[in-house]
Amino acid sequence: MEILWALMAVIMIGAVLGPFLLRRRGGIRQVAPGSPDAADPANYGFARQEELDIRMPGPDHDLMDVLDVVQQSQSWKAASQLLAGTEVHGEVRWQRVQAFAGAASLELQRRPGGVSDQPGGQWLRVWRAEAPKDAGGAAVHAEFLVQQAWRSSQSGTDEFRIILEEAKEACAQAALLSPGDPVPYIIELSIARGLAYPREEFEQLWLKILDRAPAHMGAHLAALHYWCEKWHGSRDLAHDFAEAAAARAPKGSLLSALPLFAVYEHLPEVNLVRGFYESEVVTKAVGGALYAVHSARPDDPMLAHVRHLLIFFLVRSERWAEAMDQLIHVDGHVGALPWTVSSDPAADYAVYRALAVAGYEANGGSPATLSH
């Protein structure tokens, strides 16, 4: 196990990925690029690293098309139409609100503007000015402010608090424009974490979400952060929250995978326990996530999120064939945990994919034996 992860470090440092890993007597070792014995992810139809889409965890062609239109034309109307036609209580609306807000935030970061040029993300400002009663625009603006706070300010500073207070007011406005919509309250979960809401106030916010969308996976993931040890809870509180959600999950819900996210949020920075990824707590959480994946609708928009995290744990646990089974479903998109915490999500994902391919072939697997 230690040798394998030392190899991964060598691969990452040298930017030498899976094509240079070899099957030999059940072990894995590095070989020269182009070697006939090298394990090549391309043999499985996987995308090249430079082709991986870091914006989303899985495909949403309508969203990508509209984002292209908005960014090229700097007109908000296509975004408004897409959100107006997206089901209010579903996961897709939340993901699309995040995507539009993230696009505007990144535009602003790249083009902060100056004396002679307009700042990036100007289409969002125009959207709010020209259609102040548009519920979609109000939600995107609130999420934009949240992302700006976390992206451009340091937690705990006056600037950070001021931006989040403004975001809180924007959430209230968005909620008034779309009664019954859980998204403004889901956005506020990040504000609650940043502003350190007392637990009673946080739980009141959480009840508003449960009243509107009790099985919303994205909302549960956002709430989980609050209960984590690094924020306002503890390992036990986060675990209890995740286990309670999994226990009440309706049939076909991905909430059964929530304990795996709780485990991920509390991984030790330095793992001193041999076999940690084969431990009971990890094995049980992985089992719950696999059950959730197998029971979920194939078109569940949160399915890719769970599959990506499973890849991380299955590779770490050296469960190569199961990791490959997840990879064939998500390859091409890497905008999800755990890759998004990296400065180069595509590179991190490619390393784990390379290890999965190498481990799979080291144990007799091949493209012909992998079922799609």
Side-chain angles (χ1 to χ4, degrees), residues 145-316:
L145 290 171
V146 170
Q147 293 195 27
Q148 280 298 102
W150 291 101
R151 193 188 304 276
S152 63
S153 307
Q154 185 176 352
S155 176
T157 63
D158 288 343
E159 181 186 10
F160 180 78
R161 176 171 290 276
I162 289 169
I163 298 174
L164 285 187
E165 291 287 1
E166 184 182 354
K168 186 175 181 179
E169 293 180 12
C171 285
Q173 294 173 11
L176 288 174
L177 291 170
S178 184
D181 185 349
V183 168
Y185 300 102
I186 298 173
I187 296 170
E188 193 178 345
L189 290 172
S190 292
I191 299 171
R193 176 162 51 98
L195 295 181
Y197 280 21
R199 288 184 183 175
E200 182 179 350
E201 185 177 356
F202 181 86
E203 288 170 350
Q204 290 173 354
L205 171 62
W206 183 238
L207 286 175
K208 293 177 182 178
I209 295 170
L210 291 182
D211 286 343
R212 291 161 175 80
H216 199 291
M217 181 68 173
H220 280 79
L221 290 175
L224 177 64
H225 289 294
Y226 178 91
W227 295 112
C228 287
E229 189 173 61
K230 59 188 173 185
W231 288 105
H232 310 297
S234 66
R235 183 187 303 267
D236 288 342
L237 286 171
H239 177 78
D240 290 346
F241 174 80
E243 288 290 342
R248 66 171 183 269
K251 184 178 180 180
S253 168
L254 287 167
L255 288 176
S256 297
L258 200 62
L260 187 63
F261 287 85
V263 171
Y264 173 76
E265 293 295 337
H266 294 88
L267 288 176
E269 291 186 12
V270 178
N271 179 23
L272 301 178
V273 180
R274 183 177 179 85
F276 171 78
Y277 288 92
E278 290 81 38
S279 66
E280 182 180 356
V281 64
V282 173
T283 301
K284 181 181 176 183
V286 167
L290 287 170
Y291 169 80
V293 163
H294 294 149
S295 325
R297 301 188 329 268
D299 63 346
D300 190 312
M302 294 300 292
L303 187 54
H305 285 272
V306 180
R307 290 191 186 279
H308 278 290
L309 195 63
L310 272 170
I311 291 166
F312 173 88
F313 279 97
L314 291 170
V315 168
R316 290 266 181 166

Side-chain angles (χ1 to χ4, degrees), residues 356-370:
V357 169
Y360 183 63
E361 294 191 356
N363 288 276
S366 71
T369 61
L370 185 64

Side-chain angles (χ1 to χ4, degrees), residues 28-64:
I28 301 173
R29 72 176 179 85
Q30 204 170 358
V31 297
S35 165
D37 294 317
D40 188 353
N43 293 337
Y44 296 83
F46 293 147
R48 295 170 60 86
Q49 180 178 328
E50 59 269 24
E51 297 170 345
L52 295 169
D53 191 327
I54 65 173
R55 296 173 294 179
M56 295 289 290
D60 183 341
H61 300 299
D62 289 341
L63 172 64
M64 293 298 105

